[in-house]
Short mmCIF file of all heavy atoms in Angstrom, two decimals:
data_model
loop_
_atom_site.label_atom_id
_atom_site.label_comp_id
_atom_site.label_asym_id
_atom_site.label_seq_id
_atom_site.Cartn_x
_atom_site.Cartn_y
_atom_site.Cartn_z
N TRP A 299 -23.61 -70.00 -33.78
CA TRP A 299 -23.91 -68.79 -34.55
C TRP A 299 -23.24 -68.78 -35.92
O TRP A 299 -23.55 -67.94 -36.75
CB TRP A 299 -23.47 -67.55 -33.76
CG TRP A 299 -24.39 -67.21 -32.62
CD1 TRP A 299 -24.31 -67.68 -31.33
CD2 TRP A 299 -25.54 -66.37 -32.66
NE1 TRP A 299 -25.34 -67.17 -30.58
CE2 TRP A 299 -26.10 -66.35 -31.36
CE3 TRP A 299 -26.15 -65.60 -33.66
CZ2 TRP A 299 -27.25 -65.62 -31.05
CZ3 TRP A 299 -27.29 -64.87 -33.34
CH2 TRP A 299 -27.82 -64.89 -32.06
N ASP A 309 -17.65 -81.72 -31.80
CA ASP A 309 -17.86 -82.37 -33.09
C ASP A 309 -19.36 -82.53 -33.37
O ASP A 309 -19.81 -82.42 -34.52
CB ASP A 309 -17.19 -83.74 -33.11
CG ASP A 309 -15.68 -83.63 -33.28
OD1 ASP A 309 -15.21 -82.55 -33.67
OD2 ASP A 309 -14.98 -84.62 -32.99
N HIS A 327 -37.96 -73.18 -45.34
CA HIS A 327 -38.98 -72.61 -46.23
C HIS A 327 -38.38 -71.73 -47.32
O HIS A 327 -39.11 -71.23 -48.17
CB HIS A 327 -40.00 -71.83 -45.41
CG HIS A 327 -39.39 -70.76 -44.57
ND1 HIS A 327 -38.70 -71.03 -43.41
CD2 HIS A 327 -39.33 -69.41 -44.74
CE1 HIS A 327 -38.26 -69.90 -42.89
NE2 HIS A 327 -38.60 -68.90 -43.67
N ASN A 375 -31.93 -57.56 -54.94
CA ASN A 375 -31.89 -57.90 -56.36
C ASN A 375 -31.29 -59.31 -56.53
O ASN A 375 -30.83 -59.92 -55.55
CB ASN A 375 -31.11 -56.85 -57.16
CG ASN A 375 -29.67 -56.68 -56.67
OD1 ASN A 375 -29.02 -57.66 -56.30
ND2 ASN A 375 -29.18 -55.45 -56.66
N GLY A 424 -20.47 -42.13 -38.70
CA GLY A 424 -21.49 -42.06 -37.66
C GLY A 424 -21.28 -43.13 -36.61
O GLY A 424 -20.21 -43.75 -36.53
N CYS A 480 -22.83 -53.86 -28.30
CA CYS A 480 -21.63 -53.06 -28.58
C CYS A 480 -22.02 -51.66 -29.04
O CYS A 480 -23.13 -51.44 -29.55
CB CYS A 480 -20.82 -53.69 -29.72
SG CYS A 480 -20.09 -55.28 -29.36
N MET A 519 -39.37 -65.71 -27.79
CA MET A 519 -38.85 -65.98 -26.44
C MET A 519 -39.98 -66.37 -25.50
O MET A 519 -39.77 -67.07 -24.52
CB MET A 519 -38.13 -64.74 -25.90
CG MET A 519 -36.88 -64.38 -26.64
SD MET A 519 -36.15 -62.86 -25.95
CE MET A 519 -34.70 -62.68 -27.00
N ARG A 540 -46.98 -72.79 -6.61
CA ARG A 540 -47.43 -73.81 -7.57
C ARG A 540 -48.64 -73.31 -8.36
O ARG A 540 -48.75 -73.55 -9.56
CB ARG A 540 -47.78 -75.11 -6.85
CG ARG A 540 -46.58 -75.87 -6.30
CD ARG A 540 -46.87 -77.36 -6.17
NE ARG A 540 -48.01 -77.63 -5.30
CZ ARG A 540 -47.92 -77.76 -3.98
NH1 ARG A 540 -46.74 -77.65 -3.38
NH2 ARG A 540 -48.99 -78.01 -3.25
N PHE A 560 -50.65 -66.74 -35.65
CA PHE A 560 -50.06 -65.50 -36.15
C PHE A 560 -49.00 -65.78 -37.21
O PHE A 560 -48.97 -65.15 -38.26
CB PHE A 560 -49.45 -64.71 -35.00
CG PHE A 560 -48.45 -63.68 -35.45
CD1 PHE A 560 -48.86 -62.55 -36.15
CD2 PHE A 560 -47.09 -63.85 -35.20
CE1 PHE A 560 -47.94 -61.62 -36.59
CE2 PHE A 560 -46.17 -62.92 -35.64
CZ PHE A 560 -46.60 -61.80 -36.33
N GLU A 568 -51.22 -62.17 -44.37
CA GLU A 568 -52.59 -61.91 -43.98
C GLU A 568 -52.70 -61.40 -42.54
O GLU A 568 -53.81 -61.20 -42.04
CB GLU A 568 -53.42 -63.21 -44.11
CG GLU A 568 -53.54 -63.70 -45.55
CD GLU A 568 -54.23 -65.05 -45.64
OE1 GLU A 568 -54.48 -65.64 -44.57
OE2 GLU A 568 -54.52 -65.48 -46.77
N MET A 592 -38.97 -68.76 -12.11
CA MET A 592 -37.80 -69.63 -11.94
C MET A 592 -36.92 -69.12 -10.80
O MET A 592 -36.36 -69.92 -10.03
CB MET A 592 -37.01 -69.70 -13.25
CG MET A 592 -37.77 -70.43 -14.36
SD MET A 592 -36.97 -70.37 -15.98
CE MET A 592 -35.62 -71.52 -15.73
N SER A 624 -38.06 -56.07 -23.09
CA SER A 624 -39.07 -55.04 -23.35
C SER A 624 -38.45 -53.74 -23.85
O SER A 624 -39.13 -52.73 -23.96
CB SER A 624 -39.89 -54.78 -22.08
OG SER A 624 -39.04 -54.60 -20.97
N GLN A 633 -44.47 -50.45 -28.80
CA GLN A 633 -45.36 -51.50 -29.33
C GLN A 633 -46.81 -51.19 -28.99
O GLN A 633 -47.70 -51.35 -29.83
CB GLN A 633 -44.97 -52.87 -28.76
CG GLN A 633 -43.51 -53.27 -28.95
CD GLN A 633 -43.00 -53.06 -30.35
OE1 GLN A 633 -43.65 -53.44 -31.33
NE2 GLN A 633 -41.84 -52.44 -30.46
N LEU A 634 -47.06 -50.75 -27.74
CA LEU A 634 -48.43 -50.44 -27.34
C LEU A 634 -48.98 -49.25 -28.13
O LEU A 634 -50.17 -49.22 -28.49
CB LEU A 634 -48.48 -50.16 -25.83
CG LEU A 634 -48.21 -51.38 -24.94
CD1 LEU A 634 -48.09 -50.97 -23.47
CD2 LEU A 634 -49.29 -52.44 -25.10
#
Side-chain angles (χ1 to χ4, degrees):
W299 285 88
D309 284 344
H327 56 285
N375 58 38
C480 294
M519 294 178 180
R540 289 206 301 273
F560 161 69
E568 296 174 352
M592 292 173 74
S624 48
Q633 306 313 313
L634 292 173

